[in-house]
Amino acid sequence: DERLEPRVGRDYRNIARRFIKFSKGIVSRETIRSYLTTYLSKAPKTYNNQLDGLRAFIARFLKAPELMDGFKKAHQNQNYEIELPSKAQIKKGFEGLTDDRERAIYLFYASTGLRNTEGLKLNRFEDIDHELRAVKSKHSTRTKKAGVTFYNQECELWLQKYLGSRKDNSERLFCIGTREFIRIWRKASEKAGAKITPQILRKWHSTQLGELGVPDRYVDIFQGRAPKSVLAKFYTGKELERLKRIYDRAGLKVLE
């Protein structure tokens, strides 16, 4: 009824299951408070996701909004920072991967700064301009917009190897299951000695572009944070080519 993204609906169901197991089926302000207390030491975003899931389940599905009154989201400020891996650790993470698909996916996320699900939804025929190395995602939700971004030459090498080895007719840029996808980041993290995920690579990508002198307004375009009218302006023609020059001039490298 709420027309949620499939991933959001799945996450909310999982939160409901965890809460029911934790509370032994008792839904009350006390069990809600006890459940949320177990997330107080987590990142503010993690706590807030749990709260959103409980509101969807208890306030809207069970129609008991009074039980959720007074529970507020954690304040997400800049004091809670993701600890980014070093450039050497990013390279080690890549070295821990074992096939062309894994390496292509790793470098694609590191050099584009795309969100986790955004990269997995890409159509290899419609969303990728291989000549410009441009990515024009159609990903769009109530809170997140797709940007116009690019992948670098390091990624291009492994992406071509991977796509060249494909024998299927799937339109998906990356044909990979959830478990296999998660395994990539586990392997990379173990080799690097630091946690590496698409979310962390997105933050690393943003930080690197800033250090390389890319103005914030263009980093926002690359990462889908600019207004839709601005993003649409750069989707085609000379504006897209100008955006590519800005990206290329920065010289973003993952493995050097």
Side-chain angles (χ1 to χ4, degrees), residues 5 12 18 25 47 56 59 63 81-82 86 96 101 108 110 112-113 146 157 177-178 193 198 215 222 224 228 238 249:
E5 282 284 302
Y12 284 180
R18 283 196 292 270
Y47 180 92
K63 301 191 183 306
E81 290 288 342
I82 296 174
S86 67
R101 181 179 65 173
F108 191 82
T112 62
L157 172 65
T178 302
F222 293 143
K228 287 185 178 181
K238 292 183 178 179
R249 195 180 304 130

Side-chain angles (χ1 to χ4, degrees), residues 35-48:
Y35 177 80
L36 289 173
T37 297
T38 65
Y39 287 89
L40 289 176
S41 62
K42 305 289 186 182
K45 183 177 180 180
T46 302
Y47 180 92
N48 293 343

Side-chain angles (χ1 to χ4, degrees), residues 15 27 34 55 90 100 113-114 146 178 186 206 221 224 231 256:
I15 290 169
V27 183
S34 295
R55 282 180 175 151
I90 294 286
D100 293 348
L114 290 178
T178 302
R186 186 179 299 126
S206 174
I221 290 170
L231 295 174
E256 292 181 10

Side-chain angles (χ1 to χ4, degrees), residues 139-172:
H139 175 87
S140 181
T141 68
R142 295 175 187 174
T143 58
K144 297 178 176 66
K145 303 181 290 294
V148 183
T149 189
F150 302 85
Y151 53 92
N152 66 8
Q153 291 179 322
E154 296 169 323
C155 176
E156 181 180 34
L157 172 65
W158 292 101
L159 187 61
Q160 287 179 345
K161 284 186 177 182
Y162 163 61
L163 293 177
S165 68
R166 294 250 308 255
K167 306 299 181 184
D168 62 88
N169 295 320
S170 174
E171 295 180 345
R172 292 174 60 192

Side-chain angles (χ1 to χ4, degrees), residues 90-107:
I90 294 286
K91 184 177 179 180
K92 279 189 176 181
F94 175 81
E95 292 170 352
L97 305 177
T98 53
D99 62 43
D100 293 348
R101 181 179 65 173
E102 292 179 347
R103 296 181 182 113
I105 289 173
Y106 187 89
L107 291 176

